[in-house]
Amino acid sequence: NAGVTQTPKFRVLKTGQSMTLLCAQDMNHEYMYWYRQDPGMGLRLIHYSVGEGTTAKGEVPDGYNVSRLKKQNFLLGLESAAPSQTSVYFCASKSGRGDTGELFFGEGSRLTVL
Amino acid sequence: GQNIDQPTEMTATEGAIVQINCTYQTSGFNGLFWYQQHAGEAPTFLSYNVLDGLEEKGRFSSFLSRSKGYSYLLLKELQMKDSASYLCAVRDSNYQLIWGAGTKLIIKP
């Protein structure tokens, strides 16, 4: 059981380049999230989705776009990368069906923007 | 604003007991979570409290006082593998999670 899988694990970009992070979950979860984690700060929500075909903005959405075309996949795009987007990105999912709300996280994607 | 406070770093000895505190001020309350995160890895779920009191799960226990906006995570019989960051998160009235910055726990032999 793979759980939540993120690709790529590491990426170095130059300012202005674009890229897409892919998150895939095999638990048939409805809810999916993209967070960023920076030193000395709590996880911050970028965008989230409550089901296939839906997306919503989180706390820090600027500079990012997302898509949820298939239930199992949640893509995070950076159209024009900036050094401020250097971070570790975590994807998470949860079932959302009367449970405690436990999140299942991917292993993280470490992005450096030069 | 919404705020979660927890100590930045704590040190404890193998075999001992440690208590990690978390205080919160949020717009509403719909549960408090503790996650463990080893360096370079993903956070993993430890506990969930929505009612006042103590929830025990093996060597780990979590306590909640909603009136005081306070929780703690208690780790007993510390092992070297417990060296990690412990993240406190509160679900607010909009069912969004507000995360603390985490407490880095260092276990010494």
Side-chain angles (χ1 to χ4, degrees):
Chain A
N1 188 351
V4 180
T5 304
Q6 292 180 228
T7 53
K9 300 287 191 294
F10 301 92
R11 185 74 187 269
V12 178
L13 288 177
K14 294 182 179 178
T15 297
Q17 288 184 318
S18 63
M19 74 160 296
T20 300
L21 297 176
L22 170 64
C23 177
Q25 53 95 4
D26 62 2
M27 297 173 283
N28 201 35
H29 283 173
E30 293 291 335
Y31 292 67
M32 296 188 74
Y33 305 83
W34 275 108
Y35 285 96
R36 60 179 289 172
Q37 187 174 43
D38 301 292
M41 303 182 71
L43 288 164
R44 291 185 291 169
L45 182 64
I46 304 171
H47 286 280
Y48 65 100
S49 168
V50 300
E52 181 179 318
T54 75
T55 62
K57 293 180 179 180
E59 179 186 357
V60 288
D62 293 344
Y64 305 94
N65 56 76
V66 288
S67 64
R68 184 106 181 262
L69 299 180
K70 294 183 178 181
K71 186 177 184 179
Q72 64 267 34
N73 295 338
F74 195 30
L75 279 63
L76 177 71
L78 285 71
E79 293 182 346
S80 180
S84 61
Q85 294 177 304
T86 292
S87 187
V88 180
Y89 292 86
F90 285 100
C91 176
S93 70
K94 73 180 178 84
S95 69
R97 297 192 185 281
D99 60 0
T100 62
E102 173 187 353
L103 289 175
F104 295 82
F105 284 86
E107 294 180 348
S109 297
R110 186 175 295 275
L111 175 65
T112 301
V113 183
L114 302 176
Chain B
Q2 307 204 88
N3 195 49
I4 309 285
D5 285 320
Q6 45 180 139
T8 302
E9 186 175 297
M10 299 182 69
T11 302
T13 303
E14 190 177 14
I17 299 173
V18 70
Q19 177 175 312
I20 302 174
N21 296 326
C22 171
T23 58
Y24 62 89
Q25 292 179 308
T26 56
S27 302
F29 178 85
N30 282 295
L32 185 144
F33 298 81
W34 285 97
Y35 283 78
Q36 181 189 59
Q37 185 178 24
H38 286 100
E41 298 183 8
T44 55
F45 173 80
L46 284 178
S47 67
Y48 169 71
N49 294 69
V50 67
L51 299 176
D52 291 351
L54 189 68
E55 294 281 344
E56 297 186 78
K57 190 185 294 185
R59 294 188 299 113
F60 292 11
S61 303
S62 56
F63 171 83
L64 174 66
S65 169
R66 288 173 296 172
S67 63
K68 295 182 179 179
Y70 168 70
S71 172
Y72 67 72
L73 181 68
L74 192 71
L75 291 73
K76 303 176 185 176
E77 301 171 13
L78 286 170
Q79 302 176 9
M80 297 304 293
K81 68 179 182 179
D82 297 328
S83 292
S85 289
Y86 291 86
L87 314 181
C88 174
V90 173
R91 191 161 54 188
D92 68 11
S93 58
N94 293 319
Y95 278 78
Q96 295 296 337
L97 278 177
I98 311 301
W99 294 83
T103 298
K104 182 179 181 180
L105 178 63
I106 299 168
I107 310 297
K108 295 186 174 180

